[in-house]
């Protein structure tokens, strides 16, 4: 399994919907989460780049599908944040449509990272996201972000609670704690991405035998 150098990740394009994305080839791993879950911070921490994904004091600024290339044919995808109240209804619907289309129709999607604030995990939209992925046979890594906001006992209790809760989804769902501030959980994220990016399609594996 290859170890990818995520520091080499570079921005490729922003797209309002899947019709404006590059060709549906290679492997993509998407990052999804509520608008205030710390998605941009997680991407910046992963890649060790301060401004790769724009962080904003106003959640809900990621209104486009943003693509980043880690290695040839290996892309990270920053999906529009969901569930932020202070956004006009029409705009919200537009994002939800773009999000849904990407998740349902993008064939090169091989893994989904769902980010949730450790203090408020498993909101309805988070659960819908995991349900959708499990139904589509896409593995999920749940990152409980802002883990530094809780003392270690409370952090552990939340982690165990969410791990217990996701068993009900009957899918490939792993849960880890994450803190951009303390760089906690970054190694687990990189390991998971390495596995997903090293995914060999079954046909190729058979051909090699």
């Amino acid at each position: 399994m290859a170890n990818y150098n995520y520091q080499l990740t570079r921005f490729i394009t922003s797209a309002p919907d899947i019709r404006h994305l590059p060709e549906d080839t290679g492997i993509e791993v998407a990052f999804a989460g509520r608008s205030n879950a710390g998605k941009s911070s997680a991407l910046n921490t992963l890649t060790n780049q301060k401004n790769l994904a724009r962080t904003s004091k106003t959640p809900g600024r990621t209104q486009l599908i943003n693509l980043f290339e880690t290695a040839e044919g290996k892309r990270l995808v920053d999906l529009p944040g969901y569930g932020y109240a202070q956004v006009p209804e029409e705009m919200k619907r537009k994002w939800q449509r773009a999000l849904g289309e990407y998740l349902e129709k993008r064939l090169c999607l091989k893994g989904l990272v769902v980010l949730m604030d450790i203090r408020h995990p498993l909101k309805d939209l988070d659960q819908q996201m995991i349900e959708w992925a499990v139904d589509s046979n896409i593995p999920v890594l749940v990152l409980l972000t802002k883990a530094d906001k809780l003392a270690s006992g409370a952090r552990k209790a939340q982690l165990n609670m969410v791990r217990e809760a996701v068993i009900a989804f009957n899918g490939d769902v792993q849960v880890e704690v994450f803190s951009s501030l303390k760089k906690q959980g970054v190694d687990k994220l990189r390991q998971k991405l390495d596995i997903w990016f090293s995914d060999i399609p079954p046909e190729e594996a058979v051909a090699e035998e």
Side-chain angles (χ1 to χ4, degrees):
M1 186 181 75
N3 288 99
Y4 292 91
N5 184 353
Y6 295 98
Q7 291 189 44
L8 299 178
T9 302
R10 62 187 184 86
F11 172 77
I12 318 173
T13 188
S14 290
D17 53 51
I18 62 171
R19 282 168 287 289
H20 293 82
L21 289 175
E23 219 179 324
D24 194 354
T25 57
I27 294 177
E28 285 178 1
V29 173
F31 283 64
R34 294 173 68 78
S35 302
N36 53 356
K39 207 155 35 78
S40 301
S41 302
L43 279 161
N44 290 341
T45 303
L46 165 71
T47 57
N48 218 4
Q49 298 180 43
K50 277 200 181 80
N51 302 311
L52 181 74
R54 289 202 185 91
T55 56
S56 164
K57 290 280 178 274
T58 311
R61 282 288 165 83
T62 308
Q63 300 168 18
L64 300 167
I65 299 172
N66 294 311
L67 261 71
F68 306 92
E69 189 168 67
T70 290
E72 198 176 340
K74 320 282 187 209
R75 293 179 296 275
L76 300 172
V77 183
D78 185 9
L79 293 173
Y82 51 79
Y84 190 60
Q86 293 174 12
V87 166
E89 201 52 47
E90 191 190 341
M91 189 182 269
K92 218 186 285 187
R93 277 200 298 272
K94 213 165 123 186
W95 296 355
Q96 301 294 21
R97 230 182 2 255
L99 194 64
E101 263 196 333
Y102 173 81
L103 294 169
E104 282 162 28
K105 298 182 178 169
R106 194 75 172 159
L107 299 175
C108 60
L109 178 63
K110 294 292 184 245
L112 183 66
V113 180
V114 180
L115 298 98
M116 308 173 196
D117 185 324
I118 192 165
R119 298 162 299 176
H120 318 287
L122 295 173
K123 299 275 191 194
D124 287 351
L125 289 169
D126 299 326
Q127 297 199 44
Q128 282 173 31
M129 212 63 178
I130 297 172
E131 247 165 52
W132 171 84
V134 169
D135 287 349
S136 307
N137 286 322
I138 288 181
V140 176
L141 173 63
V142 171
L143 290 183
L144 300 175
T145 61
K146 308 184 185 184
D148 50 278
K149 305 267 188 201
L150 294 182
S152 63
R155 193 163 57 226
K156 201 162 185 182
Q158 284 293 81
L159 174 63
N160 291 338
M161 183 273 287
V162 177
R163 280 182 172 165
E164 190 70 31
V166 300
I167 294 169
F169 290 105
N170 292 318
D172 181 352
V173 185
Q174 182 181 337
V175 184
E176 301 293 347
V177 293
F178 191 88
S179 164
S180 296
L181 195 66
K182 306 274 190 193
K183 307 280 188 279
Q184 188 180 4
V186 182
D187 290 348
K188 294 262 172 68
L189 173 58
R190 287 189 181 127
Q191 282 163 12
K192 186 54 104 176
L193 293 175
D194 285 348
I195 291 167
W196 285 341
F197 280 143
S198 304
D199 189 26
I200 301 172
E203 311 85 80
E204 287 183 30
V206 171
E208 282 172 15
E209 285 172 20

